[in-house]
Amino acid sequence: MRALVLGASGFLGSYAGHALQKAGWQVTGASRSALRGYSSSIGLDSLRDVSAAITREPWDLVMNCLAIANHEACEQDPASARLVNHELPGIWADEAGQNGSHFIHFSTDAVFDGDSTDLYDEQDPTGGSSVYGWTKRAGELAVLAANPQALVFRINFFGWSHNGGRGILDFFASGLASGISMTSFRDYVVSSLYVGHLFDLALGALSANGTGLYHLVSSTPLSKYDFGVTVARAMGADPDLIQPGLLADSPTLSNRGHNLGLSVRKLEKLVGRSIPSTAEGIQMALAERGAVMDYFGSGIIPGE
Ligand SMILES: NC(=O)c1ccc[n+]([C@@H]2O[C@H](COP(=O)([O-])OP(=O)(O)OC[C@H]3O[C@@H](n4cnc5c(N)ncnc54)[C@H](OP(=O)(O)O)[C@@H]3O)[C@@H](O)[C@H]2O)c1
């Protein structure tokens, strides 16, 4: 089985190479930047090259990890956010479908406003408060309109990054290992899923012939503060190094939704098994840290 990963140099795309290869797939990464771990690549000089990559071979799967995923970058350049997060994914979903490839697209919990006290399910009205959230929601609709057989996953994930500086897990693990005191929000709740579990479930959904929109997140919403404390306990570090703070007090982040817990019932029904918790993901992340870092260090393909 052959898969093409778009945006293979990114946080999620880097790990996709590891997860798909581990699951027995032959994986090619498409990217404008240097790739880590991938043994096969297609360089992207511009976004116009993505269509040629999709139609170059009869891929069994095209997985779209390419996006402008930074909130601030989307606010600063809404036109590019609209192109990359909304318009192009619909075109790529159509091209993949015409080429006989399954298409997996990733969206975000930021499509919701975060004001609910309940878990959001797939039918709930969206209402993200950012250009990022709006363009990602429009991208979901564009993908499914162009290719109803596609799988669209709303995600929130954590994992190791190749340079150790990208995500919340890197932040807590390195701070705790150095005995540094850290402040983390206790009023910001998300259903963050370990990337290892994320790709396992995404492939499970594909095997179950799933189509349409699913929440692909952990079964246990957790505040960022509780996440840090859970990492500390799993590492055998001092949980008191994590101090509770408030998102509401942050001048730059206070307009973000605070409660982004998502329901995973629809996905559980499709894959026929329970979805792991964030704490289980932290355990798995610690257990496979060496293997993931070995993968990232196994080869660097320069960008075009
Ligand atoms: N990170 C999160 O916490 C999070 C949470 C929820 C959902 N998501 C979703 O997960 C997916 C992946 O996010 P991520 O965190 O992995 O993002 P990321 O690390 O920023 O990676 C984005 C990828 O897209 C590529 N890209 C962006 N603009 C491009 C352009 N104009 N031309 C060519 N390539 C371009 C980047 O290439 P370069 O490496 O060259 O920049 C990179 O490979 C996105 O759909 C995002 O919405 C992420």
Side-chain angles (χ1 to χ4, degrees), residues 56-79:
R56 193 175 92 163
E57 291 183 34
W59 311 104
D60 296 292
L61 170 64
V62 175
M63 184 177 270
N64 182 26
C65 300
L66 196 158
I68 300 181
N70 178 291
H71 282 250
E72 289 68 37
C74 291
E75 297 296 332
Q76 282 161 16
D77 187 355

Side-chain angles (χ1 to χ4, degrees), residues 7 9-12 32-33 47 67 106-107 132 136 155 157 166:
S9 58
F11 192 11
L12 189 66
R32 66 179 174 184
S33 300
L47 285 165
F106 293 105
S107 185
Y132 174 62
K136 291 298 290 185
I155 59 175
F157 68 92
R166 182 60 209 270

Side-chain angles (χ1 to χ4, degrees), residues 216-235:
L216 175 51
V217 292
S218 91
S219 55
T220 50
L222 222 54
S223 73
K224 296 286 181 185
Y225 167 74
D226 287 326
F227 183 96
V229 169
T230 308
V231 174
R233 295 209 170 106
M235 288 175 64

